[in-house]
């Protein structure tokens, strides 16, 4: 099913013509309305008129998170505050948070794009959607909320946390879909099981998971725990919030990017050079229709890959692969680059381990060291008298990490339920090198 048949299936040629028209408009507008862009274009020696084809965009400068911070809180807004109807902010683990604004039209566009996502996940107005993304400054809660209402579904505005209450609502209201971070979904499943709730017999059939990197193995784990189809949704506050890209349930091979509203590029994060589709690199987005907070060539730091091949669902947009991680989360362990999500994939595939883990990075002399703490399942732990069982598990992890990722780590098997659980985005890495 497709929410906006006309735009989601536009032939590539028409889509690219629309993109060019919108791109020229937005570039013109920011050049004249936002001091930052005037300066940054002047410095790069480009003017809006240089933009004759989509390809010309690569002559234009990038916008970075640092630029957003330097212009905190509203310096990059392109509309007066009197027409801004909503503000959100990303929490930002380091430094100032980034603040984003929306006009009435931006909110309507956002709601439509989230409605497109829900329909791509096979939801209709007859669904009851339990929304466990946090409401507030985070874009997850309200973003999904407005999209669900736009579709006409019944939305339960749960927000994050308060897990016992969530479990009660899940049983009593019988929602057919759940929206949450994947790590919180697992937390819910685990606590439900502890309370003796059969999570597989709830009325849920679909889950909309995103806001943090997760592996294919984690998807299987969640699908098993809830007996649902787990779908990947991508977005970031700077560009809009959830609903920048979404998997379709027909193919479930990559996330469709809503290219009538966002222009996407992948670049080599070291050199800034634009990569051909298919090559892994950093995603860079330009918003084509946003009024309050347009962004030109925003460097997301998210590492992914674009596919150009048409999808069997009929949507004509490029798709992006699941995000491996952020370039700033990439660990370099004795020269080997590795993302937490790759370590997750190795751990979750080993029987006897739980998908609850923590990575501790430290430095000895000039070398980075990694300790992987991972919970073992209850049954393994009961067996633990036989130290051999645990030693065997440890060996297996060491071997798989070496074979698949080429890294050596210290492994620490920990008791079930001993690592901190997430109520929103999980923080997987403790980096002691910065302390
Ligand atoms: O996390 C928006 C969102 C809410 C997306 C709910 C999906 C569902 P931020 O807090 O600004 O916005 O964080 C954005 O989260 O740059 C990625 O690094 C990461 N991220 C978001 N979705 C995914 C995903 C929201 N599906 C940052 N897979 C992004 C991997 C994701 N990482």
């Amino acid at each position: 099913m497709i929410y906006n048949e006309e735009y989601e299936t536009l032939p590539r040629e028409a889509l690219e013509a629309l993109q060019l028209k919108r791109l020229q408009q937005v570039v013109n507008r920011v050049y004249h309305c936002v001091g930052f862009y005037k300066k940054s274009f002047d410095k790069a020696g480009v003017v809006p008129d240089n933009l004759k084809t989509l390809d010309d965009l690569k002559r234009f400068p990038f916008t970075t998170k640092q630029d957003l911070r330097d212009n905190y809180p509203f310096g990059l807004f392109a509309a007066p505050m009197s027409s801004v109807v909503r503000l959100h902010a990303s929490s930002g683990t380091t430094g100032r948070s980034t603040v984003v604004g929306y006009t009435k039209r931006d909110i309507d566009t956002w709601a439509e794009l989230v409605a497109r996502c829900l329909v791509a996940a096979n939801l209709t107005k007859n669904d009851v959607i339990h929304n466990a993304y946090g409401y507030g400054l985070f874009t997850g809660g309200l973003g999904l909320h407005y999209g669900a209402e736009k579709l006409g579904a019944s939305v339960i505005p749960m927000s994050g946390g308060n897990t016992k209450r969530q479990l009660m609502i899940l049983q009593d209201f019988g929602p057919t879909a759940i929206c949450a971070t994947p790590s919180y979904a697992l937390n819910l499943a685990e606590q439900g099981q502890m309370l003796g709730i059969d999570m597989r017999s709830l009325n849920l059939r679909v889950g909309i998971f995103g806001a943090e990197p997760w592996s294919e193995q984690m998807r299987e784990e969640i699908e098993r725990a809830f007996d649902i189809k787990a779908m990947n949704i991508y977005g970031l506050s700077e560009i809009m919030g959830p609903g920048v890209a979404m998997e379709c349930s027909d193919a479930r091979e990559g996330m469709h990017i809503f290219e009538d509203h966002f222009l996407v590029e992948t670049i080599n994060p070291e050199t800034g050079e634009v990569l051909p589709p298919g090559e892994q690199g950093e995603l860079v987005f330009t918003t084509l229709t946003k009024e309050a907070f347009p962004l030109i060539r925003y460097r997301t730091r998210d590492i992914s890959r674009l596919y150009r091949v048409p999808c069997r669902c009929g949507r004509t947009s490029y798709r992006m692969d699941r995000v491996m991680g952020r370039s700033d989360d990439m660990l370099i362990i004795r020269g080997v680059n590795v993302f937490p999500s790759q370590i997750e994939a190795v751990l979750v595939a080993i029987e006897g381990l739980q998908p609850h883990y923590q990575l501790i990075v430290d430095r000895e002399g000039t070398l980075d060291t990694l300790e992987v703490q991972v919970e073992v399942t209850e049954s393994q732990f009961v067996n633990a008298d036989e130290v051999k069982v645990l030693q065997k598990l440890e060996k297996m992890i060491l071997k798989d990490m070496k074979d698949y990722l080429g890294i050596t780590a210290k492994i620490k098997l920990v008791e079930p339920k001993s690592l901190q659980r997430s109520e929103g985005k999980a923080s997987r890495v403790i980096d002691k090198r910065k302390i």
Side-chain angles (χ1 to χ4, degrees):
M1 270 183 307
I2 297 184
Y3 183 80
N4 189 330
E5 187 87 38
E6 183 189 349
Y7 282 94
E8 291 182 77
T9 63
L10 267 185
R12 279 304 309 178
E13 216 170 280
L15 177 60
E16 286 172 15
L18 177 72
Q19 284 187 314
L20 180 61
K21 192 174 112 212
R22 290 181 166 175
L23 182 64
Q24 287 167 333
Q25 277 165 358
V26 68
V27 164
N28 248 300
R29 202 157 68 82
V30 297
Y31 186 69
H32 294 108
C33 303
V34 186
F36 163 81
Y37 285 108
K38 167 95 176 60
K39 257 192 251 147
S40 102
F41 290 5
D42 286 353
K43 200 165 146 214
V46 286
V47 288
D49 274 352
N50 293 138
L51 203 68
K52 302 270 191 262
T53 67
L54 288 178
D55 203 44
D56 294 331
L57 183 63
K58 59 171 181 277
R59 297 176 53 191
F60 284 70
F62 294 117
T63 310
T64 63
K65 186 111 181 160
Q66 191 56 44
D67 295 325
L68 268 52
R69 292 201 175 119
D70 292 346
N71 290 282
Y72 176 86
F74 310 132
L76 294 189
F77 282 20
M81 207 40 112
S82 55
S83 48
V84 170
V85 299
R86 175 100 65 83
L87 297 167
H88 280 285
S90 73
S91 50
T93 41
T94 50
R96 287 168 167 172
S97 61
T98 42
V99 183
V100 297
Y102 305 77
T103 63
K104 181 80 187 67
R105 204 187 78 184
D106 292 335
I107 295 283
D108 290 345
T109 308
W110 188 13
E112 161 166 348
L113 297 190
V114 173
R116 289 187 192 179
C117 294
L118 299 174
V119 170
N122 226 351
L123 300 183
T124 68
K125 71 187 192 45
N126 298 322
D127 279 285
V128 179
I129 303 178
H130 179 109
N131 185 11
Y133 286 117
Y135 281 65
L137 285 176
F138 175 53
T139 51
L142 285 167
L144 262 300
H145 184 104
Y146 274 64
E149 281 192 353
K150 175 99 182 171
L151 176 63
S154 320
V155 48
I156 308 172
M158 261 327 290
S159 196
N162 218 339
T163 305
K164 289 219 169 89
R165 185 131 194 254
Q166 304 239 8
L167 290 166
M168 189 183 84
I169 301 277
L170 282 170
Q171 294 175 89
D172 294 353
F173 292 12
T176 50
I178 181 164
C179 308
T181 58
S183 59
Y184 187 59
L186 277 180
N187 184 356
L188 266 172
E190 181 185 67
Q191 300 219 25
Q193 282 148 10
M194 270 160 65
L195 292 170
I197 302 167
D198 179 6
M199 299 303 282
R200 295 175 54 87
S201 66
L202 296 172
N203 211 17
L204 292 173
R205 63 181 182 87
V206 173
I208 312 276
F209 303 113
E212 62 186 5
W214 54 311
S215 59
E216 210 51 51
Q217 288 74 7
M218 179 77 96
R219 162 146 50 203
E220 286 165 20
E221 192 78 28
I222 294 176
E223 293 196 325
R224 244 195 323 269
F226 288 93
D227 190 22
I228 56 173
K229 189 159 183 182
M231 307 289 298
N232 199 357
I233 184 170
Y234 170 82
L236 62 164
S237 355
E238 295 91 319
I239 297 306
M240 189 180 72
V244 172
M246 177 75 199
E247 281 176 336
C248 60
S249 70
D250 294 342
R252 224 169 56 160
E253 279 166 10
M255 295 177 273
H256 289 276
I257 300 170
F258 298 119
E259 287 183 280
D260 47 335
H261 294 276
F262 312 110
L263 198 142
V264 63
E265 304 166 272
T266 31
I267 61 162
N268 174 329
E270 308 289 325
T271 61
E273 170 210 357
V274 176
L275 300 171
E279 277 188 35
Q280 182 172 301
E282 177 180 343
L283 297 176
V284 170
F285 282 101
T286 297
T287 66
L288 296 175
T289 53
K290 265 181 33 184
E291 291 182 332
F293 190 67
L295 277 175
I296 308 297
R297 300 198 87 201
Y298 181 66
R299 290 189 59 163
T300 61
R301 303 198 165 267
D302 290 331
I303 305 294
S304 179
R305 165 183 326 179
L306 300 175
Y307 318 141
R308 235 202 271 229
V309 274
C311 183
R312 63 169 171 271
C313 73
R315 291 178 184 79
T316 47
S317 55
Y318 283 175
R319 282 173 283 166
M320 58 181 266
D321 206 349
R322 63 168 58 250
V323 173
M324 291 198 68
R326 298 174 56 80
S327 55
D328 37 11
D329 281 350
M330 190 178 74
L331 306 171
I332 304 181
I333 306 299
R334 309 203 170 193
V336 181
N337 299 355
V338 55
F339 288 99
S341 63
Q342 293 176 290
I343 298 176
E344 173 184 302
V346 167
L347 297 176
V348 178
I350 297 176
E351 196 156 342
L353 298 181
Q354 305 255 44
H356 301 292
Y357 65 96
Q358 185 103 66
L359 309 175
I360 296 155
V361 191
D362 208 342
R363 180 164 290 160
E364 277 168 21
T366 52
L367 290 179
D368 288 340
T369 60
L370 173 66
E371 176 177 310
V372 177
Q373 299 187 348
V374 56
E375 291 184 10
V376 293
T377 54
E378 204 78 52
S379 58
Q380 297 285 336
F381 206 73
V382 174
N383 259 330
D385 290 345
E386 291 185 49
V387 179
K388 271 194 242 142
V389 178
L390 293 186
Q391 277 176 344
K392 208 173 129 207
L393 255 182
E394 217 174 279
K395 267 206 190 127
M396 205 179 322
I397 304 173
L398 269 175
K399 181 170 185 315
D400 284 1
M401 297 226 337
K402 185 86 205 149
D403 289 354
Y404 295 118
L405 308 175
I407 57 172
T408 312
K410 191 171 152 208
I411 311 296
K412 191 167 163 196
L413 299 176
V414 299
E415 279 181 49
K417 309 194 176 58
S418 60
L419 296 177
Q420 189 169 1
R421 294 293 184 263
S422 130
E423 299 214 321
K425 298 193 191 222
S427 58
R428 304 289 195 189
V429 182
I430 299 176
D431 194 341
K432 293 191 169 163
R433 290 170 305 185
K434 287 180 199 138
I435 300 168

